[in-house]
């Protein structure tokens, strides 16, 4: 990672499997995954075809500015926050991005494009809105009728397919 290259898919999937084991039947948001076709194949093996992919679009120059700003404000917190590593990370991203996005489309995974060039708060608002839309619907019995509330299900009840984020 400090070199700006991808962590092996086997390592990432092993970590994901450990975390997901503790949350069976829950939706998961995978930030920046799948990043390669191997990641995508491993994702299907692990949890099936994603129900949705979030594609976070942002100009390379804005990404570089954000990385440099983070490096200056969090001095020494991340070894990979330097110009050389950031450029390599962008090269790696562009190397795999198109084929991964094409694979998602071939699997008929809906892709939601988000403009992430705005402020962090505007990006968060977009992500939060999608999160609200993805909440499971709860049925509340009222006499002999049931009604949809759109409210979030109790944590112990929610079952759903995985989500993936790429970008």
């Amino acid at each position: 990672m400090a070199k700006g290259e991808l962590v092996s898919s086997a390592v990432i999937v092993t970590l994901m499997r450990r975390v997901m084991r503790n949350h069976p039947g829950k939706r998961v948001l995978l930030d920046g995954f799948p990043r390669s076709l191997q990641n995508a194949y491993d994702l299907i093996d692990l949890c099936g075809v994603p129900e949705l992919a979030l594609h976070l679009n942002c100009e390379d120059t804005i990404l570089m500015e954000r990385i440099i700003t983070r490096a200056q404000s969090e001095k020494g917190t991340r070894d990979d926050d330097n110009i050389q590593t950031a450029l390599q990370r962008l090269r790696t991203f562009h190397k795999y991005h198109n084929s991964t996005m094409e694979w998602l489309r071939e699997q008929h995974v809906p892709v939601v494009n988000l403009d992430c060039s705005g402020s962090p708060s505007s990006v968060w608002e977009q992500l939060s809105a999608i999160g609200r839309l993805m909440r499971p619907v709860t049925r509340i019995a009222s006499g002999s009728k049931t009604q949809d509330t759109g409210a979030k299900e109790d944590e112990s009840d929610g079952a759903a397919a995985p989500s993936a984020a790429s970008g």
Side-chain angles (χ1 to χ4, degrees), residues 59-107:
E59 295 288 326
D60 289 354
T61 53
I62 294 171
L63 292 173
M64 290 297 292
E65 287 173 16
R66 289 178 179 170
I67 291 168
I68 292 166
T69 301
R70 181 174 65 191
Q72 292 170 347
S73 66
E74 300 175 11
K75 300 214 186 295
T77 320
R78 292 181 55 149
D79 291 339
D80 61 339
D81 277 349
N82 61 68
I83 291 177
Q84 289 76 24
T85 303
L87 287 171
Q88 183 57 42
R89 284 167 44 196
L90 283 174
R91 283 187 208 106
T92 300
F93 168 78
H94 289 297
K95 177 179 177 181
Y96 295 103
H97 177 257
N98 288 336
S99 60
T100 305
M101 293 303 295
E102 183 60 31
W103 177 87
L104 288 166
R105 287 184 195 94
E106 288 171 1
Q107 301 305 309

Side-chain angles (χ1 to χ4, degrees), residues 11 30 47 89 110 113 143 148 153:
V11 169
L30 305 172
C47 37
R89 284 167 44 196
N113 292 297
D148 290 335
E153 278 188 19

Side-chain angles (χ1 to χ4, degrees), residues 19-32:
V19 171
M20 292 171 73
R21 201 176 299 146
N22 296 326
H23 306 282
K26 300 292 182 184
R27 279 189 171 113
V28 294
L29 176 63
L30 305 172
D31 182 10

Side-chain angles (χ1 to χ4, degrees), residues 138-149:
T138 304
R139 296 198 181 272
I140 299 176
S142 59
S144 60
K145 297 179 186 176
T146 55
Q147 61 187 40
D148 290 335
T149 65

